[in-house]
Amino acid sequence: MNRDLPILVVEDNDEDFDMLQMTFQGACIPNPLYRCTEGEEALDFLHQRGRYAAVKSAPRPGLILLDLNLAGLDGRQVLEHMKNDGRLKSIPVLVFSTSDNPKDVQSAYANGASGYLLKPVDLARFERMIRLFKEFWLDHIVMPEDDGREVAHG
Amino acid sequence: MSTESAGTAQVADLTNCDKEPIHIPGAIQPHGVLLVLREPALIICQISENTEALLGSRAQELLGRSLDSLLPASQVASTRASLLSDRLQDNNPLKLTLHGGDRERLFNGIAHRHQGRLFLELEPVAESESLPFFGFYHQARGAMSRLRDAKDLRALCEEGVREVRRLTGFDRVIIYRFDPDWNGQVLAEDRLETADPYMGLHFPASDIPRQARELYVLNLLRIIPAVDYVPARIVALPEEAAQGPLDMSFCVLRSVSPIHLEYLRNMGAGSSMSISLLQEGRLWGLISCTHMSGSKYVPYEVRTACEFVGQFMSSFISSKEGHEHYDQRIRTKSIQGRLLERMTRVVDFAAELCQSPPELLELTGATGAAVYFNGRMTIIGKAPEDEQLQGLIRWLSSQPASQEVFSTNSLLRHYPESEGFKDVAAGLIAASMSRGRHNYVLWFRPEVVQTLEWGGNPHKLVDVEDDQLRLHPRKSFALWKETVRGKSLPWKDYELEAARELRRNIIDIVLERSEELLKLNTELKRSNVELDSFAYAASHDLKEPLRGIHNYASLVLREDAEALRPTNRTRMDTVVRLTQRMESLINSLLHYSQVGRMELSLRETDLNDVLSSVLEVLKPRIEEARAEVRVPEPLPPARCDRVRMMEVFTNLITNALKYNDKEKRWVEIGSRRDPELGSVYYVRDNGIGIKPDYHEAIFRIFKRLHGRDKYGGGTGTGLTIVKRLIERHNGRIWVESTHGEGTTFFFTLDSEKEPVSELRPFGGESGR
């Protein structure tokens, strides 16, 4: 259903990304996976500018997995920026973080995140989480048909 | 020629002595002669009847004659000049030689004008009496400098009575001061050794009636040389008598009230003299002289000297009164300093004020005090009961808040409900320390009757029951005691000043503290925020690599377990297990760091609900442990945070299940009522127990009593968190245990007060 939607992962931790990739494979998730390690880079990717100026190199993602603690511009600011941007705000963002600080959870939802996943220190649980993620977000959820133009309000 | 007696025929008694017209007695004391002269011819138009003894002629013969006819030719001109001058009193006493009858006599002539009349009073002078001027001057000079140098009021008065007694030779000289209600108190006394002491006696206002006091202001010295005198009436020319009674306010010979004479006789006094002490035109007190050994005449010059001593004293009273109890003032200052030092040294200054040494009482000369601060009452010395104090505070709070320091020596008059405790608090000073929050320092004094200090022997204070002696200082004193029922000794100016000063000090301290608190709070908030982010950041940053280690180790095990040698496989297993332990440590630490700062949502909570939810969650573990849960009776409700209490019960019950090696395990949850602490909850087990040495240690963070893998392991933060949660509820937790037989954890919840917010260093101890 949503199998061809590009997924953007914003994650600065190589081990975590490594595990994510492996687990995606293990869960047979076919979607193209893109990765940015920093907040600034993620925004460049989304706006297709800088090194992502070529359209092909940075397709509009159908879903974003966002880590909060990033060097430089952090995940919270990336989220805020996206949700304040008419063209980007319809892209579902799942926060994928180690922090269980209630403030982080609160502000993520307040800023329009579609979900908040806690990275567990437990491989089995992690794998299960990814399987459920696939089933829910990639098999059942109806995604917006978004071509990136602002929806006209009338 | 007829004569009229212009006297008052009434006999005064005690009931109307306030109305007795003592300025128009129509008679004089017979040791001198009174003449009223018509100017300018100096015709004698009124005269006392007793002329025969002193002047050798009957009064009737002298009426209508000129004074000149009594004088030797050599004195006529000078006497006329003196008497007719505007400032005739400056010439007193006129040294007159009057030839009456068969011989010449020396007289002191004392002249004054009053209501347009010229009065001349003649007192016979014994030759021996004329005082050598220089001797007198030297004496006076010594006395003046002693009076001037007196260090305080008491010393001034003592000097005064000594001086007057030395000048006059009276058996007893006392000084007493009037209080605002005109009661008198003896401040100083100089007397014959054999006379009764009057020092410290009090007299009721009725002893010296109003009109007498008014006269004492006009006329500074009275003398009654012989109390048993027979009054000599005044006779007048008819046209004079028609003008009404003669106003003798300024006459030194004026006959006095029979009541006063009776009073003196009861005292055993043969003669008396008194000198007014004035302050700003108001009668402040009296120098009162009495003579026990018969009559006593004091010559004019000596009286003048005494009057002068009185005036001289009067001029010093206000400055000496300022120095009154100079030493005490100095002491008060140093007490003030010590109290301030004590208050700033401790956190709870209100309680400190009521600690020994009782400097708070010394400060105002009180016998009891109470400090009511932020709803807490502490007392020192003799104070009313708690309930009475609460009532008093309520009453004070209801008063208009205009007064920072309210004081009274008769609380009954303002607050009749104090009848029940007037024995400890007839007098009150209440220093209010804040608007709105009704914080007070209260000082108490008992009824004065219970606190009198005697200069003499109290057993001598026979209560004179005999009606014949109803006029007597001792009787007066008893009477005065009746008038001061329900009153305390008055608070002195410097005592009130001390109360005001303390109040200012306390306000300063409170202000300073609140500023400090504000600063601390701001810092606390900031560091809490920092700590919060630090705790999360730390746990986050620790968990990331941990997750990496865990995941990779898990992957290696999953994919290559068979390829590993058994020892290495065990090692990899251990790595995975250690990462899990480390994660739970990080989680506990994070949680612990938050317990002190989380907002509690305090509500009246049914703890039975809380308990059953907890037991529901723990069901699998309880079954696994095959333990019996006992709840003998329902728990009383408490004001608490439901979620946190679940955590408390979960923790304690889990521990009870865990640390148990008995065949039949049980855990009991219950409560008991404690008179001091209120509801005390407990969780009891029949487990392994805790040795007494560890009863405190178990609450320390990361303190474990057993190996990591015994009793199901744990991070060593559970009880620490429980303790902090209980403390956040203003409660206490403690443990009783018999090693090997079981353990009981007791805790209280006292959340009626503000919840405690605390800052503890991250990962610090919570040991008491």
Side-chain angles (χ1 to χ4, degrees), chain B residues 142-161:
Chain B
M144 296 309 137
S145 59
R146 282 195 299 277
L147 288 168
R148 193 190 53 221
D149 297 340
K151 70 172 170 39
D152 60 17
L153 186 73
R154 176 147 296 203
L156 178 75
C157 292
E158 280 165 358
E159 199 53 55
V161 291

Side-chain angles (χ1 to χ4, degrees), chain B residues 165-379:
Chain B
R165 186 153 176 249
R166 204 179 50 75
L167 283 166
T168 59
F170 274 107
D171 292 343
R172 180 206 308 282
V173 180
I174 61 175
I175 283 182
Y176 65 90
R177 173 171 54 176
F178 295 107
D179 73 11
D181 303 325
W182 296 111
N183 301 304
Q185 182 194 0
V186 178
L187 296 184
E189 177 176 43
D190 192 39
R191 61 183 161 86
L192 269 186
E193 298 255 318
T194 51
D196 273 0
Y198 286 177
M199 185 67 195
L201 279 188
H202 293 252
F203 305 112
S206 58
D207 265 16
I208 302 173
R210 178 192 48 79
Q211 74 280 35
R213 291 194 305 261
E214 283 166 5
L215 272 187
Y216 291 0
V217 175
L218 301 174
N219 198 342
L220 299 181
L221 186 140
R222 283 74 48 193
I223 181 159
I224 305 164
V227 297
D228 293 323
Y229 71 89
V230 178
R233 292 187 312 154
I234 307 292
V235 291
L237 294 171
E239 64 267 34
E240 276 287 320
Q243 289 178 29
L246 183 66
D247 183 331
M248 296 165 64
S249 296
F250 293 91
C251 295
V252 294
L253 296 173
R254 182 174 56 81
S255 187
V256 298
S257 159
I259 296 173
H260 183 58
L261 294 171
E262 187 184 347
Y263 191 96
L264 289 170
R265 281 193 288 268
N266 288 341
M267 271 171 86
S271 80
S272 84
M273 181 173 94
S274 73
I275 303 147
S276 309
L277 295 170
L278 303 182
Q279 269 295 277
E280 292 162 356
R282 192 170 182 274
L283 190 63
W284 177 92
L286 293 175
I287 304 174
S288 165
C289 314
T290 43
H291 206 55
M292 303 302 162
S293 27
S295 62
K296 180 168 189 54
Y297 174 72
V298 180
Y300 182 83
E301 283 86 352
V302 178
R303 289 185 342 239
T304 307
C306 291
E307 201 178 313
F308 188 52
V309 168
Q311 284 179 303
F312 200 75
M313 278 188 67
S314 293
S315 66
F316 281 119
I317 282 170
S318 69
S319 69
K320 301 296 180 193
E321 230 174 357
H323 294 167
E324 193 178 5
H325 312 293
Y326 186 72
D327 301 352
Q328 273 148 300
R329 280 168 191 277
I330 295 285
R331 247 190 52 225
T332 303
K333 280 280 174 237
S334 71
I335 292 171
Q336 195 76 264
R338 285 200 299 276
L339 274 176
L340 183 60
E341 190 268 327
R342 278 169 62 181
M343 285 192 296
T344 45
R345 208 175 45 209
V346 298
V347 176
D348 189 351
F349 68 88
E352 177 62 30
L353 281 173
C354 291
Q355 294 294 315
S356 223
E359 287 169 324
L360 184 65
L361 301 182
E362 284 178 55
L363 190 68
T364 59
T367 45
V371 179
Y372 184 73
F373 211 81
N374 293 346
R376 213 161 43 97
M377 184 84 77
T378 42
I379 60 167

Side-chain angles (χ1 to χ4, degrees), chain A residues 11-16 18-19 22 67 69 97-103 119-124 126-127, chain B residues 529 532-533 536 539-541 543-548 550-552 554-555 558-559 579-580 583 587 590 594:
Chain A
E11 171 63 78
D12 63 342
N13 184 312
D14 289 344
E15 294 81 33
D16 279 352
D18 189 20
M19 287 306 304
M22 282 179 29
D67 188 7
N69 291 309
S97 168
T98 315
S99 166
D100 57 354
N101 189 337
K103 282 187 195 148
K119 297 176 188 172
V121 183
D122 186 313
L123 186 56
F126 184 62
E127 287 171 331
Chain B
V529 170
D532 245 7
S533 19
Y536 280 112
S539 78
H540 174 275
D541 290 358
K543 277 185 188 176
E544 258 188 359
L546 193 65
R547 206 169 39 240
H550 174 92
N551 288 342
Y552 286 136
S554 305
L555 284 173
R558 185 190 293 172
E559 291 167 15
T579 55
Q580 283 162 334
E583 196 213 10
N587 285 338
L590 180 64
Q594 254 128 53

Side-chain angles (χ1 to χ4, degrees), chain B residues 445-603:
Chain B
R445 253 180 200 176
E447 264 185 299
V448 63
V449 178
Q450 308 173 36
T451 52
L452 282 179
E453 290 178 47
W454 308 111
N457 178 353
H459 300 300
K460 279 199 171 174
L461 282 167
V462 282
D463 205 336
V464 195
E465 285 300 342
D466 181 1
D467 212 35
Q468 284 306 300
L469 286 183
R470 71 190 191 282
L471 294 162
H472 186 279
R474 298 289 177 213
K475 186 69 187 175
S476 283
F477 179 72
L479 186 67
W480 171 82
K481 283 209 301 194
E482 287 311 305
T483 68
V484 294
R485 287 268 165 235
K487 284 186 179 173
S488 75
L489 285 176
W491 301 99
K492 300 209 169 63
D493 284 353
Y494 69 89
E495 288 164 341
L496 290 171
E497 185 44 48
R500 278 191 284 269
E501 178 70 14
L502 182 79
R503 174 182 172 271
R504 283 191 290 269
N505 284 339
I506 290 177
I507 288 173
D508 285 350
I509 287 175
V510 172
L511 267 180
E512 208 172 286
R513 296 264 163 105
S514 66
E515 277 168 16
E516 274 171 32
L517 266 181
L518 201 68
K519 227 167 55 193
L520 276 176
N521 260 327
T522 317
E523 277 173 32
L524 196 63
K525 278 206 186 85
R526 209 189 54 230
S527 57
N528 268 344
V529 170
E530 280 174 7
L531 206 55
D532 245 7
S533 19
F534 170 77
Y536 280 112
S539 78
H540 174 275
D541 290 358
L542 286 171
K543 277 185 188 176
E544 258 188 359
L546 193 65
R547 206 169 39 240
I549 296 167
H550 174 92
N551 288 342
Y552 286 136
S554 305
L555 284 173
V556 169
L557 276 173
R558 185 190 293 172
E559 291 167 15
D560 274 338
E562 287 74 29
L564 288 174
R565 275 183 295 162
T567 44
N568 280 344
R569 223 176 85 181
T570 314
R571 286 170 184 157
M572 286 307 279
D573 278 337
T574 307
V575 170
V576 171
R577 203 165 40 76
L578 286 178
T579 55
Q580 283 162 334
R581 237 224 10 252
M582 186 142 174
E583 196 213 10
S584 69
L585 275 175
I586 291 170
N587 285 338
S588 300
L589 199 53
L590 180 64
H591 181 43
Y592 170 72
S593 77
Q594 254 128 53
V595 169
R597 298 195 305 281
M598 58 179 64
E599 289 287 323
L600 292 186
S601 107
L602 295 175
R603 289 200 176 73

Side-chain angles (χ1 to χ4, degrees), chain B residues 113-171:
Chain B
R113 267 196 204 85
H114 181 50
Q115 297 180 334
R117 287 197 169 104
L118 173 60
F119 291 75
L120 176 64
E121 295 171 274
L122 302 172
E123 291 185 8
V125 179
E127 297 287 352
S128 57
E129 271 177 17
S130 41
L131 293 160
F133 174 75
F134 279 107
F136 175 71
Y137 168 74
H138 282 299
Q139 273 183 17
R141 201 174 54 171
M144 296 309 137
S145 59
R146 282 195 299 277
L147 288 168
R148 193 190 53 221
D149 297 340
K151 70 172 170 39
D152 60 17
L153 186 73
R154 176 147 296 203
L156 178 75
C157 292
E158 280 165 358
E159 199 53 55
V161 291
R162 258 200 303 278
E163 189 55 31
V164 170
R165 186 153 176 249
R166 204 179 50 75
L167 283 166
T168 59
F170 274 107
D171 292 343

